[in-house]
Amino acid sequence: MVNKYLSEEKMGEAREMVMGEGRELEGALWRYYFEGGGGEGVLAALGAYQNGDGGFGRGLEPDFGAVGSSVLATTVALQVLVAVGADESERLVVGGMGYLEEQYRREEGWWLVPAIGKEVPAAPWWHGYGEGVEAGMWAANPSLEVAG
């Protein structure tokens, strides 16, 4: 991706911030988009967020720090995989799609996130999930994206 908007100085400052403050994944994405890095670095960094069930978690979606897999984190991972041109044979894609298939509920679609306890680091809006509402209430949001 060619930068058409920032001066070389500002790009350097942005790079320094991403590399110094971001996660390994953001650094790999920076190298991919702005420095001609290959997708392999992104795949390696993204792999750290995949769980044994094929889904993604481990804080991949920064607002939702649950270690366990969620449809939310898995859709974020799949967005990254599409962006770097991963194909359907890529292990991360196979695992993520298998997880989504397992999570599908015929009557409800996909639940965005599982109910979590107060000890899980997450944005405030995720902590009320599952308390006094049907767990599938949040199904419309990911169902449209996952189906797409």
Side-chain angles (χ1 to χ4, degrees):
M1 177 180 295
V2 176
N3 168 45
K4 298 186 283 186
Y5 304 102
L6 296 178
S7 68
E8 193 171 315
E9 177 185 358
K10 292 299 181 189
M11 276 296 285
E13 291 173 12
R15 183 187 193 285
E16 186 176 316
M17 193 279 301
V18 168
M19 297 303 182
E21 303 295 326
R23 303 173 295 182
E24 185 177 333
L25 178 59
E26 283 79 25
L29 285 165
W30 180 280
R31 287 186 291 279
Y32 177 79
Y33 283 118
F34 299 113
E35 298 176 2
E40 303 81 25
V42 175
L43 297 179
L46 185 60
Y49 297 94
Q50 191 169 38
N51 290 311
D53 60 7
F56 290 79
R58 304 178 182 277
L60 176 59
E61 162 50 63
D63 284 353
F64 190 70
V67 173
S69 297
S70 69
V71 171
L72 174 66
T74 302
T75 61
V76 169
L78 290 171
Q79 291 169 26
V80 171
L81 291 163
V82 166
V84 299
D87 67 27
E88 68 274 1
S89 67
E90 165 56 48
R91 149 187 94 72
L92 299 174
V93 173
V94 171
M97 294 303 290
Y99 172 78
L100 292 176
E101 185 177 342
E102 289 294 318
Q103 295 303 306
Y104 181 73
R105 304 293 178 253
R106 184 172 178 84
E107 299 299 319
E108 301 168 338
W110 287 271
W111 296 359
L112 189 55
V113 298
I116 59 171
K118 301 279 188 218
E119 71 282 355
V120 173
W125 48 86
W126 294 121
H127 284 293
Y129 185 83
E131 297 174 12
V133 296
E134 294 283 330
M137 180 177 171
W138 297 91
N141 183 347
S143 293
L144 297 173
E145 180 178 3
V146 173

